[in-house]
Amino acid sequence: MNTDRRKVVLIGTGMVGMSFAYALVNQGGICNELVLIDVNKGRAMGEAMDLNHGLAFGKSNMKIFAGEYSDCKDADIVVIAAGVAQKEGETRLDLLQRNSEVFRSIITPVVKSGFDGIFLVATNPVDIMTRVTYELSRFGASRVIGTGTSLDTARLRYLLGDYFMVDPKNIHAYVIGEHGDSEFVPISQMMLATKHVSEILEDERNSYCLDDMQKIEEQVRTAAYKIIEAKRATYYGIGMAITRIVKAILGDENSVVTVSAKLCGEYGSKNVFIGVPCIIGRNGVKEILELSLTDDEMEKFRNSAAVLEESFDGLQL
Ligand code: NAD
């Protein structure tokens, strides 16, 4: 990877893609070249103009332009946030099938350009679309990453921070599994600084309780539905989650993020792409961390992996 020039290509300049681009520009210093690609070329061009006009107020300079797939050739990361919306009467599998076709029209020219970096997928259902990217690109698994449960984990840490009245940065807790209805929180693994949350819950001198943890877990699981009901789509949070992962890769941070990664025997599963805590650095997924789940949590994990396997098996690639 070229460490002097950090180039990101964004494919899909809709709400999610542009929330990411806006966060990238505002945080500054993460990359110095951003290329925007969309099937709607006018939209990508307009977005590039709009972002460029804000650069004078930004933290660092960047080259931003609407480009072509050939621009992926020397990119470090290709972020995919392109997708089609569910049509009335369409099943989830129909949508998946159509999004897979969209992905074929994207991955083929990206790979043809000579791109040799890391794919980062945000399009839903993100775990399946990440696996589709892996299958179509034939890249090594460590270089194909989905945003997974990174946003769900951020939501969890925010809610737990609020509950325990501590900075969410001092909460170490993860949402794992499918980015969807079967995701869950391994409560046995939650830590406040270096103290197990389960220990805090058992302490009768405070009013914290397990019931509240389950309510928080439910709030995290249903957050997207609530936001969509209120404002039709979610995009700022995921835009910042993508930015976080891009920063971890380009900065070779070796940071732990719950991304969608391909399991190779971890948690007793193989092949499935699923949200798990991973160490992320310059070459993508450096390591998948295997948490010591309880039997009950392992059962939830297996169930979530099975949901994803079933969806993927229904696809024709
Ligand atoms: P959007 O409709 O605003 O944008 C989608 C963009 O994709 C549009 O600009 C469209 O022109 C483009 N596009 C469609 N087909 C294309 C193709 N073949 N090539 C290039 N571009 C193409 O949608 P959005 O709100 O930005 O959401 C994008 C995706 O992100 C959706 O799948 C959504 O479900 C997902 N999402 C993921 C998370 C997460 O946590 N992973 C959170 C929120 C949304």
Side-chain angles (χ1 to χ4, degrees):
M1 182 177 293
N2 182 341
T3 48
D4 298 316
R5 212 189 90 267
R6 282 152 292 143
K7 179 175 180 179
V8 175
V9 175
L10 166 66
I11 303 173
T13 58
M15 296 310 291
V16 169
M18 290 318 297
S19 298
F20 156 64
Y22 189 63
L24 196 66
V25 169
N26 275 292
Q27 290 186 23
I30 299 175
C31 74
N32 33 32
E33 198 169 332
L34 175 66
V35 184
L36 306 181
I37 299 179
D38 198 286
V39 72
N40 179 344
K41 289 192 174 196
R43 183 172 191 171
M45 199 191 67
E47 294 290 6
M49 284 175 74
D50 205 359
L51 277 186
N52 273 322
H53 298 165
L55 278 180
F57 308 116
K59 275 192 179 165
S60 56
N61 206 2
M62 262 171 90
K63 186 175 171 190
I64 305 172
F65 60 97
E68 305 292 336
Y69 282 106
S70 55
D71 292 305
C72 298
K73 180 179 166 44
D74 56 353
D76 298 299
I77 305 179
V78 165
V79 173
I80 310 180
V84 286
Q86 199 153 3
K87 286 181 184 167
E88 226 179 294
E90 192 176 50
T91 66
R92 204 169 154 272
L93 198 61
D94 290 339
L95 174 70
L96 240 177
Q97 194 61 51
R98 275 203 303 134
N99 260 335
S100 299
E101 278 141 33
V102 166
F103 265 47
R104 188 178 290 284
S105 77
I106 291 171
I107 308 296
T108 308
V110 171
V111 172
K112 207 170 152 209
S113 76
F115 173 62
D116 190 28
I118 291 167
F119 277 108
L120 175 56
V121 179
T123 304
N124 272 326
V126 70
D127 304 287
I128 306 290
M129 298 320 298
T130 308
R131 188 163 173 184
V132 167
T133 303
Y134 168 74
E135 298 289 343
L136 294 176
S137 69
R138 300 186 180 272
F139 273 31
S142 59
R143 294 202 287 132
V144 183
I145 304 174
T147 51
T149 44
S150 55
L151 173 59
D152 318 68
T153 294
R155 285 172 177 152
L156 174 70
R157 292 174 73 195
Y158 159 71
L159 289 170
L160 289 175
D162 196 43
Y163 181 75
F164 290 114
M165 288 186 287
V166 294
D167 187 337
K169 290 191 184 72
N170 296 121
I171 301 280
H172 302 284
Y174 303 113
V175 177
I176 62 173
E178 172 201 15
H179 170 63
D181 295 342
S182 69
E183 70 183 27
F184 70 101
V185 179
I187 293 176
S188 72
Q189 302 294 304
M190 297 196 316
M191 308 278 277
L192 192 163
T194 57
K195 204 170 164 73
H196 276 287
V197 165
S198 47
E199 222 180 287
I200 300 173
L201 299 178
E202 279 161 17
D203 188 340
E204 284 168 4
R205 288 170 299 176
N206 66 52
S207 58
Y208 300 128
C209 64
L210 185 61
D211 263 9
D212 289 341
M213 294 302 103
Q214 282 153 354
K215 279 182 201 147
I216 287 175
E217 182 181 26
E218 189 56 20
Q219 267 177 278
V220 170
R221 194 180 295 118
T222 54
Y225 294 114
K226 289 226 172 74
I227 299 172
I228 289 168
E229 199 181 305
K231 50 173 264 189
R232 297 182 60 199
T234 82
Y235 34 89
Y236 299 131
I238 184 61
M240 291 182 77
I242 302 171
T243 310
R244 177 72 196 90
I245 301 167
V246 165
K247 186 168 168 280
I249 296 169
L250 294 177
D252 195 19
E253 287 183 8
N254 291 330
S255 292
V256 176
V257 190
T258 43
V259 293
S260 189
K262 181 177 182 265
L263 298 186
C264 297
E266 297 87 355
Y267 300 93
S269 296
K270 268 187 185 161
N271 301 323
V272 70
F273 276 74
I274 191 164
V276 278
C278 293
I279 300 176
I280 303 293
R282 190 194 332 234
N283 298 315
V285 176
K286 188 177 169 192
E287 193 181 328
I288 293 175
L289 291 180
E290 220 172 334
L291 304 175
S292 309
L293 302 180
T294 63
D295 290 348
D296 182 44
E297 290 162 356
M298 255 326 280
E299 185 54 38
K300 287 182 183 167
F301 192 89
R302 272 194 289 269
N303 170 51
S304 198
V307 167
L308 290 171
E309 281 291 2
E310 199 181 319
S311 293
F312 184 79
D313 288 347
L315 267 184
Q316 283 170 347
L317 279 185

